[in-house]
Amino acid sequence: LAKTTQPISMDSYEGQEVNITCSHNNIATNDYITWYQQFPSQGPRFIIQGYKTKVTNEVASLFIPADRKSSTLSLPRVSLSDTAVYYCLVGAQGGDKLIFGTGTRLQVFP
Amino acid sequence: SQTIHQWPATLVQPVGSPLSLECTVEGTSNPNLYWYRQAAGRGLQLLFYSVGIGQISSEVPQNLSASRPQDRQFILSSKKLLLSDSGFYLCAWGVLRGQLTTDTQYFGPGTRLTVL
């Protein structure tokens, strides 16, 4: 199973763009990269998923270089409500389970 | 649309007492089902997952067990709770998409368990 490494915490201010990078050096050919967001006392919520290049939705963008050994979640113009823990995951072979790390705790200040 | 339910929302139990947490999914069939535990300020720990009725895989040896009596029902149990069982328990469901593994998971509201 591919292991991911991401910063423990990040701070930002409202209105700024936040980029959280995740390393996954041992990603397998069939693995997707998925990001989740978790607020306190709630279950994680799916944000975005990609396989290569760039993916964008109404919430975030995901940048994946050609070697797929890392990925960057980009949150445009963050607000206080974006304060949460963000998890980077790589899909396990067979798709039967995902491994959550400790995530990146993003704190947005006014 | 799909929904996932967990109950109870909060639970306070004495050490040595039994446990039963229930999770049900609506609006989908043959989902993969998962139980996670999250200790305070920590990441999620996968406890069990199931790809079908009666099929349970355990990730961590412990005094907890899981069962899947119906396609969309997943139960987490314990015969005797330990203090270390306290935590936030999350149920999730997911569905494989084609041949490429992309098992996006959708989480329930969670159960906050405190063992005293």
Side-chain angles (χ1 to χ4, degrees):
Chain A
L1 297 175
K3 180 180 178 181
T4 61
T5 304
Q6 53 185 122
I8 295 175
S9 64
M10 294 181 68
D11 293 335
S12 183
Y13 291 94
E14 281 191 295
Q16 290 187 335
E17 178 184 73
V18 171
N19 296 309
I20 306 174
T21 297
C22 178
S23 298
H24 28 79
N25 292 319
N26 298 321
I27 189 169
T29 302
N30 286 350
D31 286 343
Y32 270 66
I33 300 158
T34 310
W35 286 79
Y36 287 79
Q37 174 191 56
Q38 186 181 26
F39 297 113
S41 297
Q42 295 185 26
R45 181 176 72 100
F46 171 86
I47 300 176
I48 197 166
Q49 186 178 72
Y51 185 79
K52 61 181 178 180
T53 63
K54 177 183 175 181
V55 179
T56 298
N57 61 22
E58 64 278 6
V59 177
S61 294
L62 178 59
F63 299 92
I64 305 170
D67 65 6
R68 302 199 331 122
K69 294 184 181 298
S70 67
S71 59
T72 299
L73 174 72
S74 181
L75 304 173
R77 297 179 298 280
V78 295
S79 63
L80 295 176
S81 62
D82 292 317
T83 294
V85 178
Y86 293 83
Y87 295 96
C88 164
L89 295 93
V90 176
Q93 193 75 25
D96 52 10
K97 57 185 177 183
L98 296 173
I99 306 299
F100 283 80
T102 54
T104 297
R105 186 173 300 277
L106 173 65
Q107 179 69 54
V108 180
F109 295 96
Chain B
S1 64
Q2 300 87 2
T3 56
I4 180 169
H5 304 279
Q6 280 187 251
W7 63 90
T10 59
L11 189 61
V12 179
Q13 292 284 97
V15 169
S17 64
L19 173 73
S20 180
L21 302 180
E22 188 164 344
C23 170
T24 59
V25 181
E26 297 177 356
T28 187
S29 59
N30 196 31
N32 289 348
L33 296 174
Y34 308 82
W35 277 113
Y36 291 87
R37 177 172 60 199
Q38 186 172 37
R42 306 290 295 276
L44 281 77
Q45 177 187 33
L46 178 63
L47 301 176
F48 302 94
Y49 69 94
S50 171
V51 298
I53 296 174
Q55 301 179 60
I56 308 295
S57 296
S58 174
E59 289 297 298
V60 182
Q62 55 204 329
N63 68 316
L64 299 173
S65 62
S67 62
R68 185 170 177 174
Q70 301 180 42
D71 180 46
R72 289 169 288 180
Q73 184 185 31
F74 206 22
I75 298 172
L76 182 70
S77 304
S78 174
K79 293 182 178 179
K80 289 185 178 181
L81 283 169
L82 306 173
L83 287 174
S84 58
D85 291 325
S86 293
F88 189 46
Y89 287 81
L90 289 157
C91 179
W93 72 273
V95 179
L96 287 173
R97 302 180 193 275
Q99 295 182 342
L100 291 178
T101 57
T102 167
D103 193 359
T104 303
Q105 296 184 12
Y106 302 90
F107 287 79
T111 295
R112 177 77 58 190
L113 172 66
T114 303
V115 182
L116 301 175

